[in-house]
Amino acid sequence: MIVNNLVRAFKRTQVFNPQISWALNKHTLPDLPYDYGALEPTISAEIMQLHHSKHHAAYVNNLNVAEEKLAEATAKGDIATVISLGPALKFNGGGHLNHSIFWRNLCPSGGEPEGELLAAIKSDFSSLDNMKNLLSTAAVGVQGSGWAWLGFNPVSKRLHIAACPNQDPLQATTGLIPLFGIDVWEHAYYLQYKNVRPDYVKAIWKVANWKDIGERYTKAKSI
């Protein structure tokens, strides 16, 4: 009874005070499903630690700051400030979304796609190797910082390759549902691969978590 009353009180508060709603729904840095050194030698423990505990953490912290300001501006009816917060929300929100997918897209054991996902890859790209080549080319070809993605088009029900600049989230940018992303920001590889991005992109296939990618494909198909 007490819990139900608290929930009802919280819901009423959400309607009248968006600041409290924000405070109770702050974003947090997700735990990795493996140790920092688990992806070695493909990705070093040092890179993983910095990437996760520093870069991803910064996106989470900055997203929370931006959302707090958004809640304050919304409560005040300050439309100009609400609009001005758009870039920060997109960049940091995209960074949080992209990395939350990225960590689970990787695993120490690697493996190969199978079942319906493999059939779809062969249908839409003729072969697994061709899909890998196309996605790798897109990743290497990103100018500056960004991501390359294998995504699912919920309208055509087909797989597609796409690249997004900076931290632009795939679905909000292209309408594609993200299945597997390759982070080509320099902080994802520079300490180990220096300026040779193609070597990093080639190596990352060794730790692609095809179980996770397949589960995302199955879920995307059901939407």
Side-chain angles (χ1 to χ4, degrees), residues 101-121:
I101 295 170
F102 185 62
W103 307 132
R104 295 194 171 276
N105 270 174
L106 306 177
C107 72
S109 56
E112 293 290 337
E114 55 187 28
E116 291 186 338
L117 175 59
L118 180 58
I121 289 173

Side-chain angles (χ1 to χ4, degrees), residues 139-161:
V140 172
V142 171
Q143 294 185 342
S145 300
W147 294 73
W149 293 94
L150 173 67
F152 178 75
N153 187 322
V155 177
S156 67
K157 305 298 182 183
R158 295 174 63 88
L159 299 172
H160 291 270
I161 302 295

Side-chain angles (χ1 to χ4, degrees), residues 38-39 106-112 205-211:
L39 303 183
L106 306 177
C107 72
S109 56
E112 293 290 337
W205 292 107
K206 298 176 183 177
V207 291
N209 185 354
W210 288 105
K211 182 177 184 294

